[in-house]
Amino acid sequence: MLHRRPPCDGPLFIVLNLRSGEHDGQDPVQAIEAVLREAGRPYELLKVERPDALKSTAARAVERARERQGVVVAAGGDGTINSVAQAVLDTGLPFGVLPQGTFNYFGRTHHIPLDAGEATRALLGAQPEPTQVGLVNDRIFLVNASLGLYPKLLEDREVFKRQYGRTRWVALWSGLVTLMRERRQLLLRIEHEGEARLVRTSTLFIGNNSLQLEQVGIPEAESLDQGRLVALSVKPVSSWAMLGLVLRGAVGRLGDADHVVSFDFRRMEVSPVVAPGRRARLKVATDGETTWMAAPLSFRVAPQPLWLLKPPRPQDGEAGPAAKTASSAA
C-alpha cells in the first residue's frame, strides 16, 4: 500500500523552521501565505522556533495530514527536511519541500526553487514521485550520512553561525578552520559485499545525493539511480593535504585523488575498533544533524520510497528558477 502514488490535492500542513538559512530580507511566512491565499489552497502553518520542538511539530503535522488526507510540507534546510521526512516516511503521505537552508542540496537536486514564493507555486503544480531514502540503523538521510571529520565540521559550523551569522561564507570559513586543526583518525571495520576490512580514516562519508557527489567529482554518483548508496573515505593525510583535497572537490576532481577511496553498495556495516569491554559508539551526522549511535552501524536504502512532490523538470537547455538559483548557491 505504501508504494501506491498518494493523492496530493488535500490541505497542506507546513512545518516551518524559522531559524533556517538566509532569507535576503524576505519574510518566508508572508511569501508562502500570499501564494496559498491567492491559489485558494487550504493550509496550516506550524512554526518551529526552537530546535527541540521540531520532532514533535513534525509528528503533529503528520497526524493532521492523516486525519484530513493532506500533504506534509517541510520548510527549512536539509536538517529540517530530514526531521520531517523521518516522520512521514512510514505513512505513505505525500511530502513537499520549501527549501530555506544554507546549501539546500535536497531541494536543488529535485529542481525546487529556493525562493519561498516560487517554491510554493511549484509545490502547487507538483506531483508525488518515489524518492530514494538512505538509512543508518533507524535514522534516515536524504543527502548524506558521515562519521569522523565531517560531523566535527558541522558542529564547528553551528558554533561559528551562532557567533557570526547563518551565511555560506561563515560556513565555509568555519570548515577551513576545522580542517587545519583537526587530526583525529578512526579505525573502522567495514563489511560489505560479503567482505570485511579494516580502514583507518579521518572521515567516512555516505552519499545519497547525486548533485553533491557530482559537484565534487565522485564517479559512482550515477549508482544512486540503481538503488545503491555511495561511500567515500579519506586515507590519513596532513592538514595541508586535506586542504588540497577540499580544493580538488571544489573543482570537481575529488574522485581522482590518490588519498580518496569511493565505492557504491547496497548494504554496509561499520564498527569502530575498540578495546575489549569498551562501549562501541560513533558520532554520526545525518543531513547536517549529529547524534551518537551504538555500533554496528548498518547503512542501506530504505525499503519504501518517500513520495516527494516534484515540480516538472526544466526542458533541456531551459534553466528554471531552481537551476538559476542553484548556480549562484553552489
Side-chain angles (χ1 to χ4, degrees):
M1 183 175 68
L2 294 182
H3 286 68
R4 293 180 182 176
R5 189 183 304 272
C8 61
D9 55 354
L12 305 177
F13 297 92
I14 305 170
V15 180
L16 174 67
N17 188 345
L18 297 175
R19 296 168 57 87
S20 291
E22 310 169 61
H23 304 302
D24 299 322
Q26 179 193 50
D27 184 344
V29 175
Q30 291 183 1
I32 293 168
E33 291 190 318
V35 172
L36 295 178
R37 283 197 298 267
E38 181 181 355
R41 182 69 174 267
Y43 72 94
E44 184 176 327
L45 202 60
L46 295 85
K47 299 178 184 178
V48 178
E49 298 184 3
R50 303 187 325 274
D52 59 359
L54 183 55
K55 183 176 179 180
S56 60
T57 305
R60 190 163 74 253
V62 166
E63 181 180 359
R64 299 281 289 130
R66 276 176 154 169
E67 291 171 350
R68 299 183 58 189
Q69 297 183 323
V71 177
V72 179
V73 180
D78 287 331
T80 300
I81 294 168
N82 175 291
S83 295
V84 181
Q86 179 91 41
V88 172
L89 182 63
D90 290 335
T91 69
L93 289 168
F95 178 64
V97 168
L98 302 175
Q100 299 289 310
T102 304
F103 292 102
N104 296 307
Y105 275 112
F106 187 75
R108 289 159 57 196
T109 296
H110 298 291
H111 307 281
I112 300 171
L114 304 187
D115 175 82
E118 291 179 5
T120 307
R121 292 186 189 92
L123 178 67
L124 295 176
Q127 291 297 315
E129 299 290 343
T131 302
Q132 176 171 295
V133 173
L135 286 175
V136 50
N137 293 356
D138 60 349
R139 291 181 66 90
I140 75 166
F141 57 97
L142 304 175
V143 179
N144 60 59
S146 56
L147 322 172
L149 178 60
Y150 198 70
K152 178 63 175 172
L153 283 169
L154 295 173
E155 290 181 338
D156 289 351
R157 187 175 76 185
E158 285 305 306
V159 173
F160 271 66
K161 283 183 175 181
R162 285 195 293 269
Q163 291 180 320
Y164 305 112
R166 307 185 73 83
T167 70
R168 291 185 185 89
W169 291 112
V170 170
L172 293 171
W173 174 248
S174 71
L176 290 175
V177 171
T178 304
L179 284 175
M180 297 308 294
R181 70 185 183 192
E182 186 66 23
R183 291 178 173 81
R184 283 177 288 185
Q185 302 287 329
L186 296 172
L187 181 59
L188 303 173
R189 184 181 186 274
I190 297 179
E191 182 176 352
H192 75 101
E193 310 293 348
E195 297 183 0
R197 56 197 173 101
L198 294 180
V199 173
R200 188 175 294 278
T201 181
S202 60
T203 191
L204 177 65
F205 181 93
I206 313 299
N208 186 39
N209 182 274
S210 58
L211 174 63
Q212 188 177 48
L213 294 172
E214 289 167 358
Q215 280 189 342
V216 298
I218 301 301
E220 291 87 355
E222 61 187 22
S223 299
L224 299 179
D225 294 330
Q226 302 162 20
R228 300 174 74 85
L229 300 170
V230 176
L232 166 67
S233 67
V234 179
K235 298 176 182 178
V237 295
S238 67
S239 297
W240 286 106
M242 181 65 77
L243 182 57
L245 292 177
V246 171
L247 295 176
R248 271 182 170 271
V251 297
R253 295 182 55 199
L254 188 61
D256 298 333
D258 293 336
H259 294 290
V260 173
V261 178
S262 61
F263 57 91
D264 61 89
F265 65 93
R266 292 194 183 278
R267 190 181 187 100
M268 180 175 69
E269 287 206 350
V270 177
S271 295
V273 177
V274 298
R278 286 194 60 187
R279 188 178 180 186
R281 294 197 312 158
L282 286 163
K283 185 176 288 187
V284 183
T286 50
D287 296 343
E289 304 297 322
T290 60
T291 186
W292 284 97
M293 300 183 71
L297 303 179
S298 177
F299 293 92
R300 63 200 187 281
V301 173
Q304 69 272 51
L306 184 68
W307 285 102
L308 177 67
L309 287 172
K310 296 185 183 182
R313 293 190 60 170
Q315 299 296 318
D316 292 340
E318 177 187 346
K324 294 174 184 176
T325 313
S327 63
S328 63

